[in-house]
Amino acid sequence: MSEAAAGRDLVALPRAAVLALWASTYMHGDLGPDDAADMSYGVGRSGPGDEGVDLFDWMTGLRRLPLAQLRLVLPAPGRIAGVVGPPAALPAAIEAESAIVVTAAGIADHTLIPLSLPTEQDGRSKTAVSWVRYDAPVGTQVPPAASSGHAREELLRALRRAADGSIELDLVPDEPVEPARIPATWISTALPRHVDAGDAHLLVLAARTLLLTRSEIDDGHGHTVHLAEALARRGLLDELHDVARGALIEAVERIAS
């Protein structure tokens, strides 16, 4: 897949990443808040829930914050760095697997976390998504993004090491991920027009690698016979998973800045 093609295809992303992309499109002046809010629910049977904030009001409110910035966080058990808010925000962010921290002039203002609930509409299954806001403690500073600026090169090197090694992995990030491997905390989306080809390619590559390594980790070591091989395989998957997570965050923050 070429970098140009990556910008035209649908890509599955964490729900908070999708919201960050479309909110930044509105903040860049490329789309109205109503259309940006609608696009934030992604492509598929997904729509607004009955609780939480109204995304139209939330987006227009961003313009009233001084130097507002959106920070994507992809938390997991034991990896909660970057989540800002009261204690209740931590388990909610871990369950949702993604969150957006909104800052104003470097000071945390609030965290937005998606709550996804299965529902039914017109006899069809659907996911209702409510965005829950957690206000940040007053004066909480958020450090600058810790991204290296070389996420694409680091991800490509990690993928090359995996391909050249002797451990068998079911990873083909050049092809779309099967729907069965996409969790409910993610949703497919088109990419905004202002996303350039390089950023689009990194976003697609990182997202697919993150999904594929997650699926392989969940499958366990059924592909291996010996414990040493199983441990080596898990170590390689964990490395790829971490590099892909960092690359996805860096790509979204570059696009949203």
Side-chain angles (χ1 to χ4, degrees), residues 27-53:
M27 294 172 71
H28 282 118
D30 295 332
L31 200 64
D34 48 353
D35 289 330
D38 185 58
M39 293 297 293
S40 297
Y41 289 100
V43 177
R45 293 191 295 275
S46 181
D50 297 329
E51 303 176 5
V53 303

Side-chain angles (χ1 to χ4, degrees), residues 127-181:
T127 300
V129 183
S130 297
W131 289 91
V132 183
R133 173 175 172 148
Y134 296 88
D135 289 332
V138 176
T140 302
Q141 293 190 344
V142 178
S147 58
S148 65
H150 303 287
R152 185 173 185 273
E153 291 79 5
E154 292 171 0
L155 179 56
L156 290 175
R157 281 197 297 268
L159 287 169
R160 193 172 298 114
R161 285 196 300 271
D164 293 341
S166 59
I167 304 298
E168 180 182 351
L169 299 177
D170 184 17
L171 302 180
V172 188
D174 286 336
E175 298 178 3
V177 177
E178 301 94 327
R181 291 191 175 195

Side-chain angles (χ1 to χ4, degrees), residues 56-144:
F56 177 95
D57 294 338
W58 175 76
M59 287 191 187
T60 55
L62 293 176
R63 291 196 181 276
R64 295 191 289 272
L65 295 176
L67 302 175
Q69 287 190 315
L70 308 178
R71 300 285 294 273
L72 174 66
V73 184
L74 300 179
R79 293 175 175 270
I80 58 173
V83 179
V84 178
L90 296 181
I94 290 173
E95 182 177 357
E97 300 181 340
S98 67
I100 291 177
V101 176
V102 179
T103 66
I107 304 297
D109 187 79
H110 65 274
T111 296
L112 212 59
I113 299 173
L115 173 64
S116 303
L117 294 174
T119 185
E120 190 170 297
Q121 186 177 50
D122 299 327
R124 302 180 66 191
S125 60
K126 182 180 178 181
T127 300
V129 183
S130 297
W131 289 91
V132 183
R133 173 175 172 148
Y134 296 88
D135 289 332
V138 176
T140 302
Q141 293 190 344
V142 178

Side-chain angles (χ1 to χ4, degrees), residues 232-256:
R233 182 175 184 274
R234 178 57 188 264
L236 182 56
L237 285 170
D238 286 343
E239 178 192 0
L240 279 170
H241 196 71
D242 288 346
V243 172
R245 178 193 280 111
L248 197 156
I249 291 172
E250 182 172 308
V252 170
E253 290 193 345
R254 285 180 54 176
I255 294 167

